[in-house]
Amino acid sequence: MTPGANHLAHDHRSDDAAGEFMADVLAGLAQPQPLIPPKYFYDDTGSRLFDRICELPEYYPTRTEMQILEQSAGDIGKRLGERIVLVEPGSGSSAKVSLLLKSLHHPVAYVPVEISGEHMLSSLTPLRQQFPNVEIIPVCADFTAGFTIPAVGAPVARRAIFFPGSTIGNFPPEDAAALLAQFRKLVGAGGAIVLGVDLHKDAGVLEAAYNDAAGVTAAFNRNLLTRMQQELGAVLDADGFGHRAVWNAPESRIEMHLVSRHRQSIEVGGSTFWFEADDFIITEFSYKYSQSGIDALAAEAGLRVGATWLDTHGWFSIQYLEA
Ligand code: AVJ
């Protein structure tokens, strides 16, 4: 592999991806409480909308995690040591990994793993310029389906997974532990996981972060319906569904809903699904953790927390997990 080569490994063919989207939508809408997995937010339009969410005044996670990285990337880099292969499942934008790569000693390779190929490739151009000596090997894959870390040219001391943004919060705790266990196997003995985890805080702050005044999160949520129209030939009225974000305290999660404004149907894949007024589709869970919850999650995955870094408010955390 030539460093800087514009290579894109496809783990899945795009018609498989369309078939999976259809299957997940049909299965999800047939549930007593309809739901669609959040990974389908991220087509190119959805990825751009998510980048805008990260800039919103109400959406604290991105800038808070960036603050931690700005303060602590040196410490994290010291922990990781030299000749690292850094793998980033669900990489979105290059700003966070750039801070981390800058603090590493002779990093060997950076492997972003992303469903949305175009969005990922365009975000790599500045990284290639900033880190000409780091082999950059993008993998186009759904990381929840499993993937392999590609071989690299130079000797490697440690494999590490960088999983920022509290993406782990999208998964119910049992699935989150299974995903972390899969990451542990991927990095192997001596490997590490640098994990961003959003923490418990005031419900008002949480709900505002997922229901911004400018309506960008609403557009992001509704883009799922537009994708269904465009890619699955679904017959539906996207504007007939409103956006809602609620803090579910007993389950310790934010839930995003698409709420039917009146009686209507969604026709897709030969099936018709009816919605009364106020019926809703769950489109995302975003779990929030306490440190003891994170310790328990790590233990369930066969990992332990070696270090934790926080922002000044204690709103967000970066966890160093080791096998
Ligand atoms: C990318 C899953 C971490 O849960 O905060 C942002 C996605 N959804 N606004 C989150 C999201 C609505 C985000 N994660």
Side-chain angles (χ1 to χ4, degrees), residues 178-256:
L179 185 62
L180 290 177
Q182 183 196 317
F183 289 171
R184 175 175 56 79
K185 285 175 199 136
L186 267 173
V187 296
I193 301 164
V194 177
L195 181 71
V197 189
D198 199 7
L199 302 174
H200 288 154
K201 62 185 62 62
D202 177 73
V205 173
L206 285 170
E207 288 185 344
Y210 293 85
N211 196 0
D212 62 282
V216 183
T217 310
F220 175 73
N221 200 2
R222 227 176 262 116
N223 178 54
L224 205 50
L225 297 172
T226 311
R227 268 199 87 177
M228 286 164 57
Q229 290 174 302
Q230 289 169 348
E231 295 175 34
L232 307 180
V235 179
L236 57 82
D237 172 23
D239 294 324
F241 290 84
H243 165 72
R244 177 169 70 198
V246 284
W247 171 241
N248 181 336
E251 297 290 344
S252 195
R253 67 192 182 207
I254 283 281
E255 298 185 4
M256 291 223 303

Side-chain angles (χ1 to χ4, degrees), residues 1 22 152 161 182 199 214 221 234 237 285 311:
M1 178 72 50
M22 178 68 94
V152 297
I161 287 194
Q182 183 196 317
L199 302 174
N221 200 2
D237 172 23
F285 293 147
D311 61 291

Side-chain angles (χ1 to χ4, degrees), residues 96-109:
K96 291 176 194 171
V97 75
S98 165
L99 277 175
L100 189 52
L101 282 173
K102 255 200 304 200
S103 75
L104 294 175
H105 304 282
H106 306 293
V108 172

Side-chain angles (χ1 to χ4, degrees), residues 75-219:
D75 284 353
I76 302 170
K78 254 180 238 153
R79 281 252 169 193
L80 285 168
E82 45 175 42
R83 288 183 292 114
I84 290 287
V85 170
L86 193 65
V87 180
E88 186 179 4
S91 63
S93 72
S94 56
K96 291 176 194 171
V97 75
S98 165
L99 277 175
L100 189 52
L101 282 173
K102 255 200 304 200
S103 75
L104 294 175
H105 304 282
H106 306 293
V108 172
Y110 170 57
V111 180
V113 182
E114 183 57 69
I115 312 176
S116 169
E118 269 177 58
H119 185 78
M120 169 171 64
L121 287 180
S122 60
S123 77
L124 292 183
T125 308
L127 279 180
R128 291 186 197 285
Q129 284 164 352
Q130 199 185 352
F131 303 102
N133 298 322
V134 179
E135 198 172 347
I136 298 185
I137 315 171
V139 171
C140 185
D142 172 359
F143 67 81
T144 60
F147 64 95
T148 51
I149 300 178
V152 297
V156 173
R158 190 199 302 277
R159 289 165 148 193
I161 287 194
F162 182 45
F163 201 48
S166 206
T167 304
I168 194 70
N170 266 176
F171 301 89
E174 270 179 36
D175 297 354
L179 185 62
L180 290 177
Q182 183 196 317
F183 289 171
R184 175 175 56 79
K185 285 175 199 136
L186 267 173
V187 296
I193 301 164
V194 177
L195 181 71
V197 189
D198 199 7
L199 302 174
H200 288 154
K201 62 185 62 62
D202 177 73
V205 173
L206 285 170
E207 288 185 344
Y210 293 85
N211 196 0
D212 62 282
V216 183
T217 310

